[in-house]
Amino acid sequence: MEMDLDDYILERSCGFIDDEHALLNPAGEEFFQWYQGQLRRGIRWRQEEKSTAPRPRKEKRPRQPWLTGMSKWRRAGDNQVKWWDYLRQDVRDNPTCLLNEEFRHKFRVTYCIFDRIVDALKGSGLVQDPRVPKPGAPPIPAEMKVLHILRMLAVGAQYDAFEEASGCAGKTIQALCIKPASSQTKGFYDWFVDHFYDEWVRPPDQEETKAELAYAAEIGMPGMIGQMDAVHLAWDACPAGASGEHAGKEGYPTKAFNAVCSSRRLFYSCSRAYPGTVNDKTMVKSDEFIRALKEDPLYSDYEYTVFDRLGAESKLKGLYVTVDGGYLRWPETLDGYKSPRNDDETLYQMHQGSVRKDVECAFGILKKRFRMLRLPFLVRDAIDIEKIFKTCMIIHNMLLIDDGLSSIGDLDGDWLNDDVNAFLEMNRGPRSFGFGGVQHRETAETDFTRVGSRYEDHHGNPDDDPVAPGYDAKKRVLLDHFMYCRNHNKINWPLKAAQVRPRDVGADPPSRGVVAA
C-alpha cells in the first residue's frame, strides 16, 4: 500500500521511518530529500538576512527626565493654555471683542503696555529665547510668564494659582520673580524696577513743571508741584525679632513708603521701605524729591505770581508740596491749619484738604488695581516688598499716560466753574453745625476747632517741631492769594476723567515726557 507523500514526510521527519525502510519507497524518499533541501536553504537565507540587515528595535518613547509638572501636563494631549486666546490677532484688533475687554480687566494693562514689557523681557536674558535650541524642556513663552505675573499682582494670589490657565508652574514663576540674595542674576521685580523706574517714576522736567503749576494755579494753589503722603503695607512674614520695630500705629508689622504724586495722580517719586514705626517727619528728612525742591534751581528758583487780598500781584519763589500735619514745617512742605483761628484759615484748611486728597486717591487706586498691595505680604525679604510696590507704581503711571489722564487740565474744556462757584457761595456765610437735631450758628464760643492756648501753636510743642525760616510767611501769602481768588470766583475744578478723556484702546502709549492729547 502506497503512503501519501504528506504522511510520508511527516513520519520520516519524526523518525518513524528509518533509512532501510526508506529504500522501499524511492518516490517518497526523493520528495523528502527535496523538501529538506528547501528547508535548509530557507533557514540559511533568513540567517544571512538577520546578520546583514539592521536589527529591529522595540519602539519606545525617548526618555525625558525633565518632563514633570506643568511640562508633562502641557504634553499630555488636548490640554491647551487658555490665555493664548487673549493674544490672538483677531482679538487684539477688535476692541469690541469680549476677550479684548477682559484683557484689561484681568491683567490691568493694555496691549501696548503688555507688548512693551514682553519685548524688554525677551532682551533681558531672564527668559530663554525660543529661537536658540537648548537641551531639555522647550522654553515657556515670555508672554505667558508676564501674564501670570500681572494676574498675580491684580488679585494677590500665590505663584501656583494660575498654572492651568498660563501653563507655567508655580515654582517656575517663583524662581523668575524673586531671586535669593546670593544669586548672580536678577529677579523679575528687580529687573522691572531697574529697567523702567527711572523712565516712568521721576520728578517732572521743565515742560511738565509748567503744566503742573498751571493746573495748581487754576485750583487756587500756586506753586504747588504735588502732594506728599506715606502709605503702609502689611508684612505678614515679618521676622519675630523685628516685629517690634515694624508694628506701629496700625498694630501689626508694616513697611512704610513716602511718595509724591501730581494733581493728576502721576507718581513723581517713592522712598525706600521704612519700618512701620518710622514717622513722616523722619522719612521726609531723607526724601530725594524734597532735596530736589531745596537744591535744584528748576524748583528752588522758580517764580510764580500770587495776589494779595486787594488783588496786587507779586512774585513768590520756590515750589512746594502739600502735606498733612504730620510733616516738618518747611517751606517745601506746606500743610493746612490744625487749629484755625478764624474763618479764612478754616476755609483754607478745607480747600487744602480737598486738594491733598489726590495723593490719597492715588494710593487707593493703586491698592484697588493691584490687590497684592492690600493683602499682607508673605515674602521673607523686605527689599522684595519695595520692588513689588514700585513695580505696581510704574504700571500705574504707564496706564495713566496711556489713557491720557495725565493731561487733564491742559485744555480749557477740562474745567468746570458753575458748580464750584455755587459751592463756594454756599460756604461764604457764617458756618453752622447740627446738634440734637437743631442747627446752631457757629460763634467764637462754639468753634470747637479752637483748642488749647490762644492758637499761637498750631502743631504742638514748638521745641519738638521747629518752624523753618520762610514757612509762616509763605503760608500767609498763599492764604491771602486763596481768599482773593475765592472772593473773585477765580478758583476752578477739573471735570471727571471719563468726561474729558474717554479711553482709547487702540492708541499707542506715549512716553513719560509726552503729554497725551
Side-chain angles (χ1 to χ4, degrees), residues 119-322:
D119 293 341
L121 182 62
K122 288 181 178 179
S124 65
L126 293 180
V127 296
Q128 181 180 342
D129 191 346
R131 296 169 295 182
V132 180
K134 289 186 178 181
I140 300 174
E143 290 84 356
M144 289 298 104
K145 293 183 177 181
V146 173
L147 289 180
H148 196 123
I149 296 173
L150 292 175
R151 186 61 177 160
M152 280 196 327
L153 294 175
V155 302
Q158 297 302 313
Y159 295 102
D160 58 351
F162 310 105
E163 289 184 342
E164 293 78 8
S166 66
C168 304
K171 293 183 179 179
T172 302
I173 300 299
Q174 183 178 6
L176 173 65
C177 291
I178 297 179
K179 299 288 185 181
S182 58
S183 177
Q184 300 296 328
T185 59
K186 296 181 179 180
F188 177 83
Y189 297 128
D190 296 318
W191 164 81
F192 194 88
V193 172
D194 293 344
H195 187 81
F196 290 106
Y197 185 81
D198 292 337
E199 177 184 359
W200 293 95
V201 183
R202 57 171 177 78
D205 56 20
Q206 187 172 5
E207 295 298 326
E208 294 170 345
T209 300
K210 291 181 180 179
E212 182 63 23
L213 292 180
Y215 184 100
E218 289 285 342
I219 61 177
M221 303 290 289
M224 183 189 68
I225 194 62
Q227 297 91 34
M228 173 183 285
D229 200 6
V231 61
H232 289 257
L233 304 180
W235 188 17
D236 198 40
C238 177
S243 59
E245 180 185 5
H246 289 80
K249 60 181 181 180
E250 286 77 13
Y252 50 84
T254 61
K255 278 293 182 180
F257 298 89
N258 198 51
V260 179
C261 79
S262 69
S263 299
R264 272 75 71 91
R265 299 162 189 173
L266 186 73
F267 284 102
Y268 285 151
S269 72
C270 180
S271 68
R272 64 178 180 87
Y274 289 91
T277 55
V278 178
N279 58 20
D280 299 342
K281 297 178 181 180
T282 303
M283 288 189 288
V284 75
K285 291 180 180 179
S286 57
D287 191 272
E288 294 293 336
F289 191 84
I290 299 300
R291 185 176 302 163
L293 293 182
K294 292 181 177 181
E295 301 175 358
D296 192 345
L298 175 62
Y299 310 117
S300 60
D301 296 341
Y302 199 101
E303 293 186 350
Y304 47 93
T305 302
V306 293
F307 300 97
D308 60 9
R309 292 179 181 264
L310 300 178
E313 294 186 7
S314 62
K315 295 292 183 179
L316 196 61
K317 181 185 294 187
L319 305 183
Y320 63 92
V321 295
T322 302

Side-chain angles (χ1 to χ4, degrees), residues 32-49:
F32 175 75
Q33 294 299 331
W34 174 85
Y35 178 75
Q36 290 293 327
Q38 293 292 331
L39 290 177
R40 285 191 295 269
R41 280 192 296 271
I43 293 174
R44 184 166 55 252
W45 175 80
R46 286 194 297 270
Q47 289 178 348
E48 291 176 357
E49 183 186 33

Side-chain angles (χ1 to χ4, degrees), residues 360-371:
E360 303 285 357
C361 292
F363 289 144
I365 293 172
L366 206 60
K367 290 184 178 182
K368 289 286 187 178
R369 178 171 286 156
F370 303 103
R371 187 174 174 81

